[in-house]
Amino acid sequence: MAKLPQQLYLELMQVVRNRLDIIENLSNSGVDDYGKAEMAAFHGRKIIEAIAFGCLIGLENGLKIIPRDAQGQYNAETIFKTLTKKKLEIFPSPSIIREATQEEMQEHNIKVVVEGVPERRIVREELIKKYQRMHNWLHELNPYTKEGQEVFHQKNAAQLWKDLGEISLFLISHVMSIKGEAFFCKLKDKIDGLTKVSSLSKISGI
């Protein structure tokens, strides 16, 4: 029996959480700085690919379709560009769940509100750029075109760690939605530390 989209998304985000934990733990490892960055970039690329796959799961959940030319893909950039070409605007949105105000309770008869966190957002085009930058870490440096690991690290490490930090904040608590159907994900729940995914539906008129 095929897994439901919510279960698929949960399992995918559990993998993402594990990769972010690995990246965080690299700082305490005995590996040299270049090796740490190289491994972090490997996991970072895979996290971005998971975001792309998550968009496809969100499409299945909200529209009951997955574009055929994206379904068999593994390259995140290709998937994102396919969705853009088809004008399928689905992408994670950093969000929190808060208690509704008295006014919101009275007007909409709700107890909680999903609220976006604009300062943590990353647009699709910028995520593609991060994906491309991480790719540069995944090949052995050509001695005829590169100056060596030390120089490469000096030029690129700060940007890499900045990108990874922004992606972590982007995903730590987010919504994936389209046409009023959504997943709310917390990569690390405050109570038990587990990754949680809840299914949400937009209330008409809000």
Side-chain angles (χ1 to χ4, degrees), residues 16-51:
V16 167
R17 159 74 187 283
N18 184 56
R19 293 193 185 282
L20 287 170
D21 286 347
I22 290 172
I23 292 171
E24 184 177 351
N25 291 334
L26 280 172
S27 61
N28 299 319
S29 73
V31 179
D32 64 273
D33 288 344
Y34 185 89
K36 290 177 184 177
E38 191 174 52
M39 286 187 281
F42 170 80
H43 288 287
R45 284 262 305 184
K46 285 182 172 285
I47 288 169
I48 295 174
E49 287 163 359
I51 294 171

Side-chain angles (χ1 to χ4, degrees), residues 93-100 104 110-117 173-177 182-185 200-201 206:
S93 177
S95 304
I96 59 169
I97 290 183
R98 61 167 175 81
E99 290 186 7
E104 290 167 336
I110 56 176
K111 294 182 178 180
V112 296
V113 173
V114 178
E115 187 169 79
V117 186
S173 177
H174 70 270
V175 166
M176 178 75 80
S177 68
F183 298 129
F184 176 75
C185 174
L200 304 174
S201 294
I206 296 182

Side-chain angles (χ1 to χ4, degrees), residues 35 58 63 72-73 103 106 113 121 127 131-132 152 155 188-189 201:
L63 299 182
Q73 275 291 337
E103 182 180 347
Q106 292 171 3
V113 173
R121 288 177 186 156
L127 194 63
Y131 188 65
Q132 292 169 340
F152 185 86
K155 289 181 177 179
K188 190 173 184 178
D189 187 76
S201 294

Side-chain angles (χ1 to χ4, degrees), residues 21-163:
D21 286 347
I22 290 172
I23 292 171
E24 184 177 351
N25 291 334
L26 280 172
S27 61
N28 299 319
S29 73
V31 179
D32 64 273
D33 288 344
Y34 185 89
K36 290 177 184 177
E38 191 174 52
M39 286 187 281
F42 170 80
H43 288 287
R45 284 262 305 184
K46 285 182 172 285
I47 288 169
I48 295 174
E49 287 163 359
I51 294 171
F53 298 149
C55 291
L56 299 184
I57 297 172
L59 282 175
E60 182 185 5
N61 182 60
L63 299 182
K64 313 305 179 189
I65 61 163
I66 302 176
R68 185 175 300 175
D69 47 353
Q71 188 170 8
Q73 275 291 337
Y74 69 90
N75 184 281
E77 182 176 354
T78 301
I79 293 173
F80 291 140
K81 288 183 175 180
T82 296
L83 298 182
T84 298
K85 183 178 179 180
K86 294 181 180 294
K87 298 183 179 179
L88 294 169
E89 296 301 323
I90 184 166
F91 201 60
S93 177
S95 304
I96 59 169
I97 290 183
R98 61 167 175 81
E99 290 186 7
T101 64
Q102 287 296 325
E103 182 180 347
E104 290 167 336
M105 289 181 186
Q106 292 171 3
E107 184 176 353
H108 303 296
N109 191 30
I110 56 176
K111 294 182 178 180
V112 296
V113 173
V114 178
E115 187 169 79
V117 186
E119 63 269 23
R120 294 185 180 181
R121 288 177 186 156
I122 301 174
V123 298
R124 191 180 285 173
E125 292 75 17
E126 177 56 29
L127 194 63
I128 289 174
K129 291 178 182 177
K130 294 181 189 301
Y131 188 65
Q132 292 169 340
R133 287 194 289 264
M134 290 177 194
H135 180 78
N136 294 329
W137 289 88
L138 303 187
H139 295 285
E140 196 58 65
L141 299 178
N142 186 330
Y144 292 102
T145 60
K146 303 293 183 182
E147 298 178 77
Q149 289 186 353
E150 184 176 353
V151 173
F152 185 86
H153 184 271
Q154 289 174 349
K155 289 181 177 179
N156 298 285
Q159 182 65 60
L160 170 66
W161 293 110
K162 180 176 182 290
D163 286 344

